[in-house]
Amino acid sequence: MTLVLNGCILLLQEHQLLKKAEIVFDNEITAVTYDSLQAQKDGMFFCKGTHFKEDYLRDAQQRGASTYVSEVEYPQIKGMNALIVRDVQKAMALLGAAFYDYPQNQLMIIAFTGTKGKTTSAYFTRGILQDYTNKKTALFSTIDRIVGPQSQQRFKSDLTTPESLDLFHDMRQAVDNGMTHLVMEVSSQAYKRNRVYGLKYDVGFFLNITPDHIGPNEHPDFADYLHCKLQLLVNSRCCVLNADSDHFTEIYQAATATTAPENIYLFARQTKHKNANIDFIYYNEEATLTDSQFTILSQTPKARRLNIDGCYQLSLTGDFNECNATAAIIGAGLAGAPYQLAKNAIANVHIPGRMESLKTQTHGTVYIDYAHNYASMRALLSFLKRQNPQSKIIVVVGSPGNKGVSRRAGFAKALTQFADQAYLTTDDPGFEDPQAICQEIDQKIDHQRVAVQIVLDRQQAIQQAITVSRPGDLVVLAGKGEDAYQKVQGIDTPYPNDLHVAQQVIQELE
């Protein structure tokens, strides 16, 4: 993969990003990076980040980088080409796509955004498409990035939507590995930070929206959060919308801004919606603590052409997952997957860290779920309460530091509404004091309804919660899923994950 400097200049000029070009020598660009430790001979280095230091650029130059792209000029750096731009993140996305020879053009891309349900929907969609494409579907999710059929082509994600250079690099890897389809999650931060600038999706899903990711290091307010989420629809050739979502009017308007009505599909739960323009309705047939059955029915001629009507079964707890499954079936249907194939495939999809359950002999049933905001916590706990109104619900939960500050009040609200006992603990505290985070949650819990303990060691909190439970109780370990680390003081600190901790505790107890 290479880039020609003149081509880079033209591309940046086309997007009104180039402020100045200082060319010392004209050479082919043979590598691109934003990490000085990864800089190579004749490479292009992007000076990005709030805490960027000139020393990083000097390091990249010493390692052979010949060109730098930056919003700030560094005249004291001699012997390097300089492309001074208005927005380095946008420039990086455009030049990254060009360097990797636009791999997105060789993939059918189905993208999901929403406050909750992105990961579940993405895994369901890929599960169906894996059967439909003969295992040629890549996945970029909060949990995994999968760029090929081999085990070494699957690795853990560090971001829901990676930096643009990593994104296009992985797309190129997927194409080179024979992948024809890609299912990906797109976070609001991906648009806030211009990680997906210029990227178009074949199908874009808007699942839902509730306040989240609002704080000093994320979105300043809900309006900004919603605006960033809506950008996925503006950049999708076909849009699929959950008509039950809050702020549906704004969502639909965003879709129609760039997409013709015939390429916009609406779906909704039957019991909630009377909108005559709904293309698909779904309704629950049966939901238990181990699986659920639901039916999808087409309501319009364009919906019927997808041939996805019928009854489906999920091996995943919770009727709230039927919305995500319906979205996935529609997405796979738009790619060509018919009813019978989708029905068979989705019944066997396993999603790491999503409603994993462990039964014990002398204690309660343990559920491990990634529920990490009010909307997902409420959906999970309310379902468990409906299914087992007499059961005691014990919850282990924490809240991340330096992000999603609004989640803390949301957790307190959900616990007050549905929990009987709560263990507040550590969950990626970052640079904040985990004790202070727990106390912030605790202050908003109604202690007349919920017994609360703060146990900062997450493994100890899980052990205590399972130990005090009795047969019939439900123990929920929320927020971490299968994350194998804790983010502490800027370091990914190894952590055995909630599932393994729970399995060990149960083994020791029984």
Side-chain angles (χ1 to χ4, degrees), residues 140-351:
F140 297 172
S141 80
T142 299
I143 302 173
D144 294 314
R145 268 184 274 171
I146 304 173
V147 298
Q150 306 301 321
S151 59
Q152 66 270 24
Q153 294 162 343
R154 177 179 190 146
F155 46 95
K156 292 297 178 183
S157 298
D158 52 355
L159 293 169
T160 296
T161 311
E163 285 288 0
S164 55
L165 291 189
D166 303 320
L167 182 68
F168 290 113
H169 169 273
D170 290 351
M171 284 187 186
R172 171 48 56 194
Q173 290 289 308
V175 170
D176 291 348
N177 290 333
M179 301 294 100
T180 58
H181 292 63
L182 166 64
V183 181
M184 64 181 291
E185 298 178 47
V186 182
S187 66
S188 59
Q189 287 293 298
Y191 277 106
K192 184 73 174 174
R193 309 297 180 195
N194 288 307
R195 295 177 192 152
V196 290
Y197 180 75
L199 182 61
K200 299 291 183 182
Y201 316 97
D202 294 287
V203 184
F205 281 82
F206 199 106
L207 298 175
N208 48 66
I209 186 82
T210 55
D212 196 18
H213 293 289
I214 297 168
N217 298 318
E218 298 182 281
H219 299 280
D221 50 39
F222 178 76
D224 185 74
Y225 176 57
L226 175 59
H227 170 77
C228 290
K229 286 285 192 190
L230 294 176
Q231 299 314 299
L232 179 134
L233 300 177
V234 176
N235 290 283
S236 296
R237 298 180 180 93
C238 175
C239 298
V240 185
L241 316 177
N242 176 10
D244 294 327
S245 176
D246 292 343
H247 300 275
F248 178 72
T249 300
E250 296 101 308
I251 294 167
Y252 187 74
Q253 287 174 347
T256 56
T258 54
T259 304
E262 60 267 26
N263 291 322
I264 299 174
Y265 293 81
L266 310 182
F267 70 97
R269 187 179 289 274
Q270 184 186 38
T271 56
K272 287 187 175 181
H273 227 284
K274 304 299 182 183
N275 190 327
N277 296 319
I278 299 297
D279 296 289
F280 300 95
I281 60 169
Y282 66 97
Y283 57 89
N284 175 256
E285 297 280 5
E286 181 182 5
T288 71
L289 290 176
T290 57
D291 57 22
S292 66
Q293 293 182 10
F294 67 102
T295 295
I296 297 177
L297 293 177
S298 300
Q299 303 296 295
T300 62
K302 70 178 181 182
R304 284 189 280 274
R305 284 194 287 272
L306 298 191
N307 186 29
I308 60 172
D309 284 27
C311 184
Y312 296 85
Q313 182 166 342
L314 305 177
S315 56
L316 191 63
T317 304
D319 56 0
F320 52 89
N321 284 307
E322 293 167 359
C323 174
N324 303 323
T326 298
I329 292 162
I330 295 170
L334 288 165
Y339 165 69
Q340 195 61 50
L341 183 146
K343 176 183 179 180
N344 294 340
I346 202 169
N348 299 309
V349 174
H350 170 256
I351 304 169

Side-chain angles (χ1 to χ4, degrees), residues 413-461:
K413 183 178 179 181
L415 291 171
T416 296
Q417 289 175 318
F418 302 106
D420 298 288
Q421 189 168 351
Y423 288 84
L424 303 181
T425 190
T426 303
D427 182 344
D428 294 338
F431 294 94
E432 287 194 63
D433 178 3
Q435 176 79 24
I437 295 173
C438 290
Q439 288 173 342
E440 190 174 338
I441 300 171
D442 185 46
Q443 288 170 2
K444 297 184 182 299
I445 296 174
D446 182 351
H447 293 87
Q448 299 298 313
R449 303 181 64 174
V450 188
V452 180
Q453 285 183 254
I454 295 177
V455 182
L456 295 184
D457 185 309
R458 191 175 181 95
Q459 295 189 57
Q460 288 185 12

Side-chain angles (χ1 to χ4, degrees), residues 6-38:
N6 283 340
C8 295
I9 291 170
L10 289 173
L11 183 58
L12 293 173
Q13 287 175 333
E14 179 186 349
H15 288 264
Q16 291 81 48
L17 287 173
L18 188 67
K19 293 166 61 177
K20 182 180 180 181
E22 290 285 349
I23 306 302
V24 178
F25 52 89
D26 192 3
N27 68 307
E28 273 193 337
I29 304 299
T30 58
V32 291
T33 187
Y34 56 87
D35 181 353
S36 62
L37 298 178
Q38 302 298 321

